Amino acid sequence: MSAIILLTLIGIVFVYSAGTYWGKVHYGNTAPFLFKQLIYLGVAVGAFYVVSNSSLLRMEKSWTILYIFSLLLLIAVLIPGIGAVRNGSQSWIAFGPLSIQPAEFAKIALLVKLSFVLARKKSTERTIQLSHFVLILLPASLIMLQPDFGSAFILLVSSFALLFIAGYPIRFYVFLMMIGISGLVGLIMAAPYRLKRIEAYLDPWSDPLGSGFQAIQSLLAIGPAGLFGHGFGNSRQKYLYLPEPQNDFIFSIIAEETGFIGATLIVITFAVALYSGYALAVRTQQLSYYYSVAALISMLGFQAFLNIGVVSGLLPVTGVTLPFISYGGSSLMSAWLIVGVIWNFTKRI
């Protein structure tokens, strides 16, 4: 829990640092993101308290209801006038100045619901069941319609990780890999621009003002930072070089201001949080709780890996937030809701 609190506090500090110039230009003051993030944190901690102490959430029926409700939200966000469009994706439902991203909560509802379903029959090598994939593909398809490839990708990878934990055979994953490669080739043949994106990932300088722009600006933040960085508040790339640096690319700003030491501290803190989560998972008293905790921790770990991989140039650019650290109400609340569910399922250990 201390690792989670540390990551959240680091996030608060660097949301302010990364967003000062962006806030000044677009909102007329240097701390609009800090104030909003503090409000989001208050709501997130309140949600954590409710979820961590709710006996209803220990029953499968409750997660069935939440899963269905999340599907309804994913449908609602696609309706013009309800869903808000940002950066080309209709992924948010706005409530005045605040907004929620239903995909963040759908991922949690799916993983816990699927965990309860899988726990009904314990098996060392499980038979493949169509119903499992229906549960997964319904929210994934709705998220892709927004379109939000990053969230859909995280949902699918986390779900298949859960199936692996629950005993799905290795041959299924070999088949899945073959299908994935074939699908990727088909997508490239159907729309050659996707090949240009892959080329931009391999060599972002081939299109420095287009598809390679964000990757280049992120590397220009991380590369010159050295061992200790330029110092807190002294980022150069936050001056409108990195779009919305307080969000998906906040790790770039942290690395730029604190250097290799600060970036390594973030990675180590995430590693400690993941290790603690898995340690709790193996000590749970019910199989459904074990699956749920392991799946949710895996999702947090994969999302952190994906975000850090993107900003450091190891992976193609994908719009994914860094859990507990990036600016955004849905991102912060969903991360703390995951902690709340884990706390609920493991506090009797």
Side-chain angles (χ1 to χ4, degrees):
M1 191 66 178
S2 56
I4 299 300
I5 294 173
L6 177 59
L7 288 170
T8 303
L9 293 177
I10 291 173
I12 292 293
V13 171
F14 281 96
V15 161
Y16 168 72
S17 178
T20 51
Y21 190 73
W22 189 272
K24 185 68 174 178
V25 170
H26 291 88
Y27 300 99
N29 70 83
T30 59
F33 301 113
L34 172 64
F35 295 143
K36 281 189 177 182
Q37 192 76 343
L38 288 172
I39 294 172
Y40 295 147
L41 178 59
V43 175
V45 172
F48 160 80
Y49 179 80
V50 172
V51 168
S52 63
N53 291 285
S54 174
S55 58
L56 292 175
L57 293 182
R58 301 185 194 112
M59 299 184 295
E60 182 180 353
K61 183 178 180 180
S62 298
W63 288 102
T64 302
I65 294 171
L66 290 172
Y67 173 78
I68 295 172
F69 182 65
S70 70
L71 292 180
L72 294 176
L73 287 178
L74 290 175
I75 294 172
V77 81
L78 297 173
I79 300 174
I82 297 179
V85 179
R86 297 178 183 175
N87 298 323
S89 296
Q90 191 166 320
S91 304
W92 289 265
I93 297 176
F95 301 94
L98 304 178
S99 61
I100 63 168
Q101 190 174 7
E104 294 290 337
F105 308 103
K107 291 184 290 187
I108 301 173
L110 165 67
L111 290 178
V112 182
K113 167 61 181 173
L114 183 59
S115 295
F116 275 93
V117 171
L118 291 167
R120 293 175 191 165
K121 182 180 178 181
K122 184 176 181 180
S123 176
T124 54
E125 185 166 310
R126 189 180 299 273
T127 56
I128 298 172
Q129 296 186 30
L130 179 62
S131 59
H132 299 161
F133 298 99
V134 172
L135 279 174
I136 295 168
L137 293 177
L138 279 174
S141 300
L142 290 170
I143 293 170
M144 282 299 294
L145 289 175
Q146 297 176 4
D148 183 355
F149 176 78
S151 294
F153 185 55
I154 291 172
L155 181 147
L156 289 172
V157 170
S158 303
S159 299
F160 290 132
L162 172 57
L163 295 179
F164 178 78
I165 293 169
Y168 259 62
I170 295 295
R171 63 180 180 274
F172 165 73
Y173 291 91
V174 174
F175 173 76
L176 193 68
M177 186 179 300
M178 294 172 61
I179 292 295
I181 294 173
S182 301
L184 179 61
V185 172
L187 288 171
I188 292 173
M189 293 177 64
Y193 75 87
R194 293 190 175 101
L195 181 60
K196 292 184 178 179
R197 291 186 176 180
I198 296 175
E199 291 173 348
Y201 155 61
L202 296 174
D203 181 15
W205 280 269
S206 63
D207 188 12
L209 298 179
S211 57
F213 180 79
Q214 288 179 309
I216 290 173
Q217 298 307 316
S218 182
L219 291 175
L220 290 175
I222 297 172
L227 193 61
F228 300 105
H230 303 308
F232 178 74
N234 293 327
S235 165
R236 302 161 185 172
Q237 295 304 104
K238 69 181 179 182
Y239 290 102
L240 304 186
Y241 293 102
L242 274 173
E244 299 192 45
Q246 72 282 353
N247 203 332
D248 297 351
F249 283 85
I250 194 170
F251 185 79
S252 304
I253 305 301
I254 295 173
E256 186 180 16
E257 295 188 353
T258 64
F260 177 79
I261 299 297
T264 302
L265 173 63
I266 298 293
V267 173
I268 291 174
T269 307
F270 270 112
V272 170
L274 296 178
Y275 175 82
S276 301
Y278 286 124
L280 288 172
V282 298
R283 293 164 56 195
T284 52
Q285 299 174 351
Q286 294 187 28
L287 189 60
S288 57
Y289 295 173
Y290 164 65
Y291 287 160
S292 296
V293 174
L296 292 172
I297 284 293
S298 297
M299 182 172 70
L300 282 177
F302 178 69
Q303 184 167 335
F305 166 78
L306 189 59
N307 177 275
I308 294 172
V310 165
V311 303
S312 59
L314 298 176
L315 298 171
V317 173
T318 305
V320 173
T321 58
L322 187 58
F324 304 104
I325 294 179
S326 289
Y327 169 77
S330 294
S331 175
L332 187 61
M333 186 179 296
S334 65
W336 273 90
L337 284 175
I338 288 173
V339 178
V341 173
I342 293 172
W343 191 274
N344 191 325
F345 289 175
T346 61
K347 65 182 180 181
R348 287 179 175 78
I349 296 175

